[in-house]
Structure formats: structure tokens, C-alpha cells
Amino acid sequence: MRPPGIEPGSHFQYNLNMKIAVAKGDGIGPEIMEAVLNIFKAGKVPLQYEMVEMGKWVFDKGFSNGMTPEAKATIERLGILFKGPMETPKGKGVKSVNVTARKTWNTYANNREFQTLHGVDTVFSKAGIPIDITVVRENIEDTYGGIEHMLTHDVALSRRFITRPGSLQVIKYAFEMAKKKNARRITCGHKANIMKITDGLFLECFYEVAKDYPELKADDVIVDDLCMKLVTRPDLFDVVVLTNLQGDIVSDLCAGLVGGLGFAPSANIGDHICIFEAVHGTAPDIAGKNIANPTALLLSGLAMLRHVGLTENASVIENALLYTLEQGVHTGDFGDKSIPSVNTTQFADAIIGNFGKKPAVGAKEIIPNKPGTPEPLKLELNPMMVSVETGDETIVGVDLFIESDEQPVAIAEKCKRHAGVKFNLTNISNRGTQVWPTGSIYTNLVNQYNVRFESINDEPLNQQDVIGLYVSMSGNFKICSFELLNAWGDKKAYSMAQGQ
Amino acid sequence: MRPPGIEPGSHFQYNLNMKIAVAKGDGIGPEIMEAVLNIFKAGKVPLQYEMVEMGKWVFDKGFSNGMTPEAKATIERLGILFKGPMETPKGKGVKSVNVTARKTWNTYANNREFQTLHGVDTVFSKAGIPIDITVVRENIEDTYGGIEHMLTHDVALSRRFITRPGSLQVIKYAFEMAKKKNARRITCGHKANIMKITDGLFLECFYEVAKDYPELKADDVIVDDLCMKLVTRPDLFDVVVLTNLQGDIVSDLCAGLVGGLGFAPSANIGDHICIFEAVHGTAPDIAGKNIANPTALLLSGLAMLRHVGLTENASVIENALLYTLEQGVHTGDFGDKSIPSVNTTQFADAIIGNFGKKPAVGAKEIIPNKPGTPEPLKLELNPMMVSVETGDETIVGVDLFIESDEQPVAIAEKCKRHAGVKFNLTNISNRGTQVWPTGSIYTNLVNQYNVRFESINDEPLNQQDVIGLYVSMSGNFKICSFELLNAWGDKKAYSMAQGQ
């Protein structure tokens, strides 16, 4: 599945004095980026920067994906993008430049580290509960595919997909990262008790990968329970891996635990391109005033330095940051109000002045920089990720999603006439609840039914059989959608309706 | 949409001395239910109870939905179910009895109230942050429909649907409840920035209903931001309404804020049947020991009393509960460890002994019981909820979801041959990202593509046109699924692919 020679986490050891792409971002982006690059310069970080054009003003110039073709080419050539916060214009039907970048370049893992920062007060720090959680969020799939349709005037559908190769990719990354971090525990958050097939697949992949890491304690927890535990005993968790939407929610929850998005770095990891960014807003109300807090962008930058092997630079700067926070130095958005706040430049200068110092709590080990290795892999074709099938694939039926405001019994009578000699009408459901052959009078209906036809005696069907049924049924109903009912071997690959 | 004469929140004012159905539940269920019913008896609550058979031992007896037919008939006759926690056997392919009950009887609104309880220490109570949040969760739709299919061996799909009538139903309930509560604010949590059509529909319904309640401050917040704010400034929120999965996550998060599921009541509200339940586990390890904490079930019972008009009984008991907690009385799972814990019976007796007393903080107003009104409405047909269409409905294309491990260009070449005179091949995407006519070499692929055909010059199509294309395409590809592309008037009712 992965191109040969590419191992997760190891494919970004570049030559020293390498170049990376930098996009300053909108609003407060330019000033916090300047602060961070000044800290890097003072810290003698051996990187060169190539500025690229992305963000609101690029949308405004007419580039509908929020980046210039030159920016795209530069990022693909250099393989690393360091970016400030960006704004996507609202109401123009354009998609978020942040999401487009993550999906187009297949940065399949979103890595976010949340740690207690002394000097940043939260209810948890006051209660003496230490936080050190890494959330790994799948970054491509789930409803973030954005595939949505109105089936009827009343019924909207979002196709939530989870794939085996996509799940394995992010989970392998999470285990590798957990191993490097010497994690106490790696936990899969999921909702497989309800989404038995999609989240069931993700959970199955999690335990499949876990077998290769017997040294790590791997377990799982249902996502709602996870969120309850995160606000009562966050110290119980270390690395948590989740699907996209659940990971989005859990990672912002964790950002809240350590003080908010102003203290939460974000890394988007792919096999060819990685994006390190501040995920907070562009704060247009304070833009240009030199008062914004650059901590989240700096922490994202430190994750980038470690990713490209500049571990010594990263630890020296991080120790200076932690020491500075411990001393009570703060911008206006956080910290002890009895100590006057500093501006963005002063905050950066304070960190620079503290190079070589170590915080009392949580000092980072100084690990020598690693020499650079190969250039990023160039591709000739889009990588196709296919896993080996187990069991013969057969079609055993079809679900037809029809528009109708009739009662279930009337629909069943009509459908039975179309079943022919190959199909049985086995079930009719409305919003996932069975309404025929049995059901409850108390089930409220919307004008879209799922009519399930299965093959008689589980005989394998072909597409011609399905087409025949479809043609016949379309004489009576508008068919908004269908899903084939597949089986692999004798394992049926579809859910039963509630009550079926 | 709603049967005439039925208004949300008003349809459960029964005759005094009415009967309700009670299911004790599994594990600790029977002992905490006994404690609560003893408190009700001592509080002279004018209710009679009819015990019904539901739960694990009913599954074990062979009833695949976890309830006996007699239980179902009794609950439908009485209209109110009060239930302890229940266990659904794992690995037997049966669905949760809790979820089956909520869906079958269309209890469309899950109402959960979370309040700071003095005597129940949390990091937030220690920080002096008061919590009084009501979460209203849509209880039927979303991925909880459980409609899932494997499209290929690698690609799992869950159909996430949001409907207009279903959204209006729960949102109207939330506004009515907020009005009765004199809420400071009602907030819609959503992810409409990503799920523009499904969550966009929910958000549109929210502001449509808000127009009828100008006295309430209505606003919305993106769900990940909501979760961050709930762990930093939970005191900013009052009533929050969300779709099903997001509501599930947010309500358990809020339970954590006030001490966990042991202090979190739950009411499932429908037009004909309502279910009041403790949503914590069955705790089989401590079952039968008379040491479980009955607070969540008691709070759920108090919500039930208020729902049926027994407001005075509810306030007297709640004041006694709050007073008892303030005094430091606690079961073994919470409270000040320097004060010895009491058992379940002693905890209930302490509350009974405190009838007539009021807590120092948060005492409930005594509102006289209201006399009962009509019997629950009996139905002849399943209620069909259809809203008025705006704009003519036309078919303007189709998305075909095909299985293939070929490269995008090769697929496009084949598809173009099938387009015929009515369709244009406009777009091919993989996991929601456009890969043809333009795309990035860095987009990783799975073996299932979405091929979009749209009508030439937006000419309206009919089902025969779609069938013709399907028949032709099926000669080259296995078509796993399709979705019609609909338009109402000139408004296209489907999303663009990322990058399209």
C-alpha cells in the first residue's frame, strides 16, 4: 500500500539548510509568523524559507482554491508548508483553503499535542491535573469528503465513508508516533456500537495494527464516554486516535483543557507533503496591532523542526518558551492579570533572551540534530491503496431509496409486484427504522423509504438482475438512490434496519 | 406536520393517579429503581406503576428486541416509560434495546439537564464556575439510522441523513422548553461549515423556528468550538440543541462537567410516548450490594414528574435531594472521603428525612401540581411528515459510485464513451477529492470512485435517461451505488467535490 522505502514518520529527514514553503496567512498571521521566524533566526535554525501566496487575498484575486498555481508548485517541490491562520470567504461557495490543502496533498494524519503549560491557567492546572495528550485525527475521510445530496425536498444525505487503507495509514502513523513518544497508552476513540460497519472497520484496523506493537498498551473507548472522561480524568490518556469528525471535536476539547487554540499546535502529516499550522482564527479585530499571541504557531513550528530532524533547535527554543511562560511573561489574552502584558515582539524577544534556560517543570531533552537524508519522493501516478480481498465478492440484493408519502403497507403491495423471480422484498424502513413487514404505528415517517430486496435463497445476482428490478420499480417510484447489497464469502456486508 | 391539537411539551398532562410503565433494568437497575420509587411513595407522588419486562434477561429469553410483546403493548397504552439502565448482549447481532425504544416510538428529542450539585466536587465546582446547561439532542436521525454498506472490500459507507421535518420537530421542542425555562440563550451546535447540506439544513431550520421566539437570544456555534468553550467557559451556555451524534458527544461531555453520568438525567420526548431513564451503565460488579448511587435515576424521575404536571412533588423531592447533597451525604462513588459513605437505602432515607427542607443554593420553586388533561392520542396511521416544496423538482444528473483500481484518466476515457447525447461527464472524485478533469498527483486513491454526469445545458432529465446511462456504464464497471442529482427551481441540491 505504501510506496517501497517509505516508512511513516521517517520520510522527512532532509538535507540541512533545506528550504520550506511559508504562507504567512491572513489577519494576525503575518505578525505572529514574523515573531516565530525571528525566534528561529535567533536560534540559528538551519532552514531557508520560500514565501508562497495563499489565503483570503488570493481568493479575492480570483483563485477559487485560495492559492496561486506558483504556491501549489512550490509546496509540492519543497514538501513542507508552514502556515499562519487563513480565512476562507463566506457565502461565495468556495471551500476552505485549509481543508483543500489537507485533502489534495493527502495529509492523512492530523497530529495535535496538548500539554499543561505553566503560566497558562486553566481549571485543570488549578486542580493540579497534568495534561499530556496527543490526538491523532484521520484527516481525509468521514463526512469531510463533503459528498452530500438532497434525496427529496425534505431529506438531506451526507455520505460518511471510512476506508480500510485510509484507516490503516493513519493508525500506523499513530502507533509509530506513540512508540517514539514512549507512550503509556494508545486509545482508539470511536462509535462502533452505533456505526458498526464504518467505525467497526476503523476499530478492526486499530487492533490489526496494534498486533505489531506489543510493547504499547492499546485499548478503545466509545467517543461520548471518552469526552466525559477527558473532562474528569484527562491525565488517564496519552495518545488517542480517531476518525475525522470525532477527532476534530476531541482535539478542540483537548485544546480547551490546556487553555484554548492559542496553545494548541497542529501538524498535518502525509507521505509526501506535510503542513504545520496554527489552527486558531485570523482575529481581524486585533490584526496589525502587534499584540497577538504567537504560542500556537511557535509550537507548530517546533513540531516541524522535530519532523525534519532539527531536534536540538526545537528543544532549545521550547525550553526557552516554557521558561518564559513560567516567569509569568504573557500577551494580553492569557496569564496573570497582575503582571502587565507584553506585545508580540516583546514576547518573542523574551523567549530569545531565555535561550539556554530550562523550565522548572517539563524541560525537553536536548537531542542532537540528525543529518539530512533523501529528497521527498516524486510520484508518476496517483498512489492506489488496495488491500487483499478475503472471500468471493457476490451481489445478494439491493437497497432502493424511493420518494413516497404513502403508508408502508401500500408501498409494500406495489413493491412485491416488481420483485420477480430473483428477488424477495424483505424489509422497508424509514429513517433506518423498520416499518414493514412489522413496525410500530408510533414511528413518524418522512417522504423517503428504503426498500430492501434480497436474492431468493441467497443466490448470487449480477448487475443485469439489479437493472431489471430498477427499471421495473422506476415505473412506480422515483428512485433517489441505491446501494448494492454485497457479500464476501458468506459474510453479508450491510446493516439490518432497526427492528429487523 | 404535527397531528392537530398536539403541541410540543403540552401533550402529557394526564389524569392524576395515572399509571406509568416501569422497567427496573439490569445490574444495579432494580435496587436504584426501588430507592427512587420509595422516595416517590414517601413524597406521596400520585402515580401508579405497571411493571414491564425489558432488558438483558428478555433478550436471553429469545426476544430479539429486548422487550416482551406485553411490555410493548403496556408502554404504548400508558404513554410513559420510566426505566433503569439496561444491558444489550454483545456479539449476538442484536441492536440496543435503548435505541430501539427511542426510534420505534419516535422520541425525537433527548433532553438532558446538567447542573452544578453542591456536594459533588468537580474541577469546575472547585474553580467556582456554575453549570446549568440543558442539551437537547435529536434522537432519531443522523448516522443513528444505522444504514451502512460495504461498497467495495475496502470502502464502508454510513448514510448520514438529516430531514427537514425531523429537524423542525426537535428544534421546536427545544425552543418551547427554553421559553418555559426562561433561558438566557439558545444555541445551535453544528458542523455546517463542512456538512453544508445536512447540517446546513438543520441550521436553517433552527433560525426558521427562532423567528417565532423573538424573546429568546438564539445563536449558533460550530461543534468543535462549542466543545472547547464548554471546557473553558461552560457558564456561557444555557440551552444547546444539536443533531444526534454531536448531541451524544456534547451531552456526555456536559455530564462530565457536573461529575459524570451518575448525576445526569435523561428524558426522551415524543408526541405519544416519552421515556425517562438513567443512561449510566448497569455496573454488574456492584449489583445486588445496595451501594449504587440512585441520583441520576432520581433526577430522571423528577423530570418525568414535571412532564406529567406533578411540579410540586418534583420540587419538594429535588429540594430534599439538593439539601441532602449539601450536607455531605454521599454513596461510595462520590463526595468527601472524610465523611463515611452511606448505602443506597440510607441515601434514599436521608432524602426522605429532608422533605420540606431547602438547599442554601439553587432551591426549586414550589409550583402547584396541574390537574390532568386528555389521554395520550391514539393513532390510526403512521404520521407522515412532509413539508411544502418550493420550486419545481427536476433531475439534472447522477453520481455513479464505481469500483475500480485504475487511474483517473483511464476511467474518464471509458466514461466519456457512455455519456451519450444527454449527459456530460463533469467530474471524477475519490474520497470526495476531485481527481479529474484536474487534480493532484499527491491524492491517494481507494478502489471506489464517484463519477458525476450532469445534463447538457442543465436540461431536465427523467429516470429513463438515468437508466440508459446506468445500463451502458454497467458494461464497463461494477456500480456500487448511485445518487440522483436533483434541483429545485434553479437551486442545485448537491455538493461540489473538493477542488471542483
Side-chain angles (χ1 to χ4, degrees), chain A residues 34 41 68 96 128 158 162 209 246-247 297 332 368 382 438 467:
Chain A
E34 186 184 350
K41 190 177 173 188
T68 61
S96 157
S158 175
I162 301 293
V209 174
Q246 294 169 38
L297 187 63
N382 285 90
T438 60
I467 289 168

Side-chain angles (χ1 to χ4, degrees), chain A residues 76 95 100 103-104 106 123-124 127 129 141 143-154 156-164 169 191 195-198 224 227-228 231-232 248-249 252-253 256 261 272 379-390 393 399 401 403 405-407 431-433 440-445 449 463 466-467 470-471 474 477-486 488 493-496 498, chain B residues 76 95 100 103-104 106 123-124 127 129 141 143-154 156-165 169 191 194-198 224 227-228 231-232 248-249 252-253 256 261 272 379-390 393 399 401 403 405 407 431-433 440-445 449 463 466-467 470-471 474 477-486 488 493-496 498:
Chain A
E76 293 185 352
K95 297 214 177 189
T100 298
K103 288 181 64 176
T104 303
N106 203 53
V123 291
F124 294 92
I129 299 174
E141 307 191 343
T143 51
Y144 288 67
I147 308 172
E148 295 189 288
H149 300 80
M150 295 294 298
L151 298 193
T152 76
H153 192 258
D154 280 347
L157 176 75
S158 175
R159 293 173 69 92
R160 178 183 196 261
F161 55 85
I162 301 293
T163 78
R164 192 184 308 271
Q169 207 171 32
K191 194 72 192 174
M195 296 180 276
K196 291 176 200 284
I197 293 183
T198 48
D224 38 321
C227 288
M228 187 171 62
V231 300
T232 48
D248 188 1
I249 293 172
D252 273 16
L253 187 167
L261 290 181
H272 311 99
L379 292 171
E380 301 283 320
L381 292 172
N382 285 90
M384 170 60 71
M385 311 187 293
V386 184
S387 60
V388 178
E389 291 195 23
T390 51
E393 179 179 340
D399 279 345
F401 297 83
E403 179 168 349
D405 56 9
E406 293 185 277
Q407 289 284 310
R431 298 197 293 171
T433 300
S440 166
I441 199 84
Y442 297 98
T443 303
N444 280 23
L445 308 173
Y449 285 88
Q463 290 202 90
V466 175
I467 289 168
Y470 175 28
V471 169
S474 69
F477 299 104
K478 179 175 177 187
I479 298 163
C480 320
S481 176
F482 82 67
E483 304 284 352
L484 285 191
L485 301 181
N486 290 309
W488 278 270
Y494 51 94
S495 59
M496 300 293 117
Q498 196 83 35
Chain B
E76 294 184 353
K95 298 213 178 190
T100 298
K103 289 182 62 176
T104 303
N106 202 54
V123 291
F124 294 91
I129 299 175
E141 307 192 342
T143 51
Y144 288 67
I147 308 172
E148 295 189 288
H149 299 81
M150 295 294 299
L151 299 193
T152 76
H153 192 257
D154 280 347
L157 176 75
S158 175
R159 293 173 70 93
R160 177 183 196 262
F161 56 85
I162 300 293
T163 78
R164 192 184 307 273
Q169 207 172 31
K191 194 71 192 175
I194 296 292
M195 296 181 277
K196 292 177 200 285
I197 294 183
T198 48
D224 38 321
C227 289
M228 187 172 62
V231 301
T232 48
D248 188 2
I249 293 172
D252 273 17
L253 187 167
L261 291 181
H272 311 98
L379 293 171
E380 301 281 320
L381 292 172
N382 286 88
M384 170 60 70
M385 311 187 294
V386 185
S387 60
V388 178
E389 293 195 21
T390 51
E393 178 179 341
D399 280 344
F401 296 84
E403 180 168 349
D405 56 9
Q407 288 285 310
R431 296 197 294 172
T433 299
S440 165
I441 200 84
Y442 297 97
T443 303
N444 280 22
L445 308 173
Y449 286 88
Q463 289 202 92
V466 175
I467 289 169
Y470 174 28
V471 169
S474 70
F477 298 104
K478 180 177 177 187
I479 299 162
C480 319
S481 177
F482 82 66
E483 304 284 351
L484 286 190
L485 301 180
N486 291 309
W488 277 270
Y494 51 93
S495 60
M496 300 293 116
Q498 195 84 36

Side-chain angles (χ1 to χ4, degrees), chain B residues 23-37:
Chain B
K24 292 181 177 181
D26 301 310
I28 57 170
E31 59 212 79
I32 59 173
M33 183 60 81
E34 187 184 349
V36 171
L37 296 185

